[in-house]
Amino acid sequence: MADAADYTRRIIHIDMDAFYASIEQRDNPALKGKPIAVGGGGSRGVVATASYEARKYGVHSAMSGFRAKQLCPQLIFVPTRFDVYQQVSRQVRAIFESYTDLIEPLSLDEAYLDVTTNKKNIELATEVAESIMQEVLEVTQLTCSAGVSYCKFIAKIASDLKKPNGMTVIRPHQAIPFLEQLSVKKFHGVGKVTAEKMLSWGLKTGGDLKKLTKLELAQRFGKVGGFYYNIVRGIDNRPVNNNRIRKSLAVERTFREDLSTFEDIVEVLEPIVLKFFERLTKADNFGRTITLKLKTSDFQLMTRSSSKDYYVTSLDEIRDLAHELLLDNIDSFEKIRLIGLTASNLQKQGEVPGIGYQLKFDFDNESRDKE
Ligand code: DCP
Ligand code: MG
């Protein structure tokens, strides 16, 4: 990272408000104004997100459904509908694309946009952000929040400050005081564990971090120390990267006890399948190859793959493939202690593997040959 800030760029970070929950409330009027938690498994599962009505009771993402229900007894659990979230995400992406090609999606519900030059020739980035928020509302009936600044780090933090349906602008001359007062807990990229560590050393804010030399930061935090050193000085020249290329996506789990029977393995495989599907959906990227990885109790690694000439986008098909690969190889090992699933041959940027794509394949085999 360079040692001077580039103040010439105009970066917007957009993040949808209570994304899954707002969609569920939009599509089912009975849920409007009610405390809801979205997530598979209801009170026995984990909350993916909660409506703002439920957040008042302390219900939040990643909390157990059981705990959520304790905090808010009238909480309504709603199952996830990833296909709908994905569809909305595409609508929002299309709006972004009408402003700029420099878009870096971070998940289904958030993205960085570089609007320094934009397709509508709007001079002020704040005006671009306002216009995007308005369009998102018109097209999806959902609200989002925006952070506007000259770099990604500050834009991302800013988008969270006036949620829901709010915009925060941090101009270059405001950056340093903003970062100095900022709690380390709000630093994007600082996880809970690191934040605890920082707090235990009396490092509460960006200003506290700024008192440390580059060397001290590197000694305490390793490689990322250099990033912190620059960030607290408002230096973040990372470009908005619109062609992040991911080669594969994997989920795996190690077990304390060795597993040997098909039934036992299928049982532990199920949560891996679900997590794997969730990760693929969130990354909005699917693969044509699904690989089952197994590690035997004597540490031998086995991988078995199945490749298709289309993107495997359905949960049921992923599960079936995983079971098939397992069944075909059940005699090649005695006991295993690790199972993983990997998707590779992922979509290329801009390729849409969704419903339309599959329908097209079903009805028009010629397009398959061209692929
Ligand atoms: N999500 C999830 N598990 C988590 C966090 C989030 O499944 N631990 C999902 C559900 C969210 C979506 O990702 O709706 C977007 O995550 P956000 O962190 O942006 O949270 P929300 O959009 O729900 O709320 P906010 O208004 O705070 O952005
Ligand atoms: Mg969000």
Side-chain angles (χ1 to χ4, degrees):
M1 207 184 279
D3 48 6
D6 174 2
Y7 292 125
T8 62
R9 296 181 303 155
R10 299 293 169 257
I11 312 283
I12 302 177
H13 178 257
I14 303 259
D15 188 301
M16 301 297 291
D17 300 323
F19 189 50
Y20 298 179
S22 308
I23 292 176
E24 297 308 329
Q25 288 181 319
R26 177 194 74 176
D27 294 349
N28 181 355
L31 301 175
K32 285 210 171 94
K34 302 258 171 66
I36 72 164
V38 182
S43 60
R44 276 170 289 123
V46 173
V47 175
T49 197
S51 66
Y52 280 85
E53 293 83 358
R55 292 185 195 191
K56 284 187 204 138
Y57 295 85
V59 178
H60 59 73
S61 294
M63 174 180 268
S64 78
F66 181 77
R67 175 85 188 116
K69 191 86 183 166
Q70 276 182 330
L71 290 171
C72 176
Q74 68 274 42
L75 188 66
I76 303 166
F77 287 97
V78 184
T80 42
R81 292 183 302 153
F82 283 115
D83 51 335
V84 182
Y85 311 150
Q86 213 165 36
Q87 213 177 315
V88 174
S89 181
R90 296 226 168 90
Q91 287 179 304
V92 173
R93 191 87 43 95
I95 296 173
F96 295 163
E97 279 163 6
S98 70
Y99 289 83
T100 176
D101 289 328
L102 283 178
I103 302 165
E104 180 178 338
L106 297 178
S107 70
L108 279 187
D109 99 317
E110 58 175 313
Y112 292 113
L113 284 72
D114 184 327
V115 299
T116 315
T117 56
N118 57 81
K119 297 181 186 174
K120 306 209 177 187
N121 291 321
I122 303 174
E123 199 171 332
L124 298 175
T126 51
E127 218 175 282
V128 176
E130 264 165 18
S131 174
I132 289 175
M133 287 169 73
Q134 184 61 36
E135 249 183 88
V136 167
L137 183 62
E138 276 162 20
V139 173
T140 68
Q141 288 120 51
L142 299 167
T143 63
C144 60
S145 296
V148 183
S149 195
Y150 65 91
C151 66
K152 294 208 285 192
F153 184 80
I154 300 179
K156 163 113 181 148
I157 293 166
S159 71
D160 212 35
L161 297 180
K162 290 197 195 119
K163 263 187 175 291
N165 198 21
M167 173 170 82
T168 302
V169 188
I170 306 288
R171 298 179 202 287
H173 71 275
Q174 300 167 314
I176 299 292
F178 173 74
L179 293 164
E180 283 183 346
Q181 57 79 45
L182 193 70
S183 160
V184 293
K185 287 193 213 155
K186 293 234 161 148
F187 269 53
H188 177 55
V190 173
K192 257 197 182 149
V193 178
T194 308
E196 297 281 319
K197 219 195 266 178
M198 288 182 174
L199 292 175
S200 76
W201 288 329
L203 303 168
K204 295 195 198 77
T205 63
D208 294 333
L209 283 178
K210 207 173 173 178
K211 288 181 197 138
L212 300 181
T213 64
K214 215 175 203 172
L215 185 65
E216 284 169 327
L217 283 166
Q219 281 164 345
R220 292 189 193 198
F221 304 107
K223 255 191 182 164
V224 72
F227 178 71
Y228 298 153
Y229 182 85
N230 282 324
I231 280 304
V232 294
R233 286 164 179 77
I235 304 169
D236 172 17
N237 296 341
R238 290 171 302 163
V240 170
N241 187 356
N242 59 351
N243 55 1
R244 271 194 192 186
I245 297 172
R246 194 195 263 283
K247 290 227 168 70
S248 65
L249 193 154
V251 170
E252 61 180 48
R253 222 157 267 182
T254 307
F255 302 95
R256 243 171 280 159
E257 284 168 37
D258 293 338
L259 301 157
S260 55
T261 70
F262 180 71
E263 288 72 24
D264 285 350
I265 300 172
V266 159
E267 197 180 322
V268 298
L269 188 58
E270 184 58 16
I272 299 174
V273 168
L274 292 175
K275 186 83 203 162
F276 180 60
F277 179 67
E278 189 187 323
R279 291 264 322 269
L280 289 166
T281 308
K282 278 189 186 161
D284 198 13
N285 203 335
F286 294 87
R288 285 181 299 198
T289 301
I290 302 290
T291 302
L292 176 74
K293 173 174 162 185
L294 301 167
K295 202 187 258 175
T296 62
S297 46
D298 51 0
F299 298 100
Q300 270 187 327
L301 194 65
M302 308 191 334
T303 55
R304 297 288 186 268
S305 300
S306 175
S307 290
K308 304 287 173 193
D309 55 5
Y310 54 87
Y311 293 102
V312 184
T313 60
S314 102
L315 173 61
D316 288 340
E317 190 172 4
I318 290 171
R319 182 188 292 115
D320 287 349
L321 283 175
H323 289 184
E324 236 171 71
L325 290 168
L326 176 63
L327 200 56
D328 287 348
N329 294 286
I330 196 83
D331 295 329
S332 353
F333 59 85
E334 283 202 351
K335 289 176 181 163
I336 55 152
R337 61 170 45 195
L338 176 147
I339 306 181
L341 286 172
T342 306
S344 53
N345 283 321
L346 300 178
Q347 288 157 255
K348 293 171 204 81
Q349 190 71 23
E351 230 174 358
V352 178
I355 299 156
Y357 189 81
Q358 288 213 318
L359 281 179
K360 203 168 174 220
F361 273 0
D362 289 345
F363 294 121
D364 175 9
N365 273 319
E366 267 184 17
S367 61
R368 173 184 290 185
D369 298 335
K370 279 183 207 143
E371 216 274 313

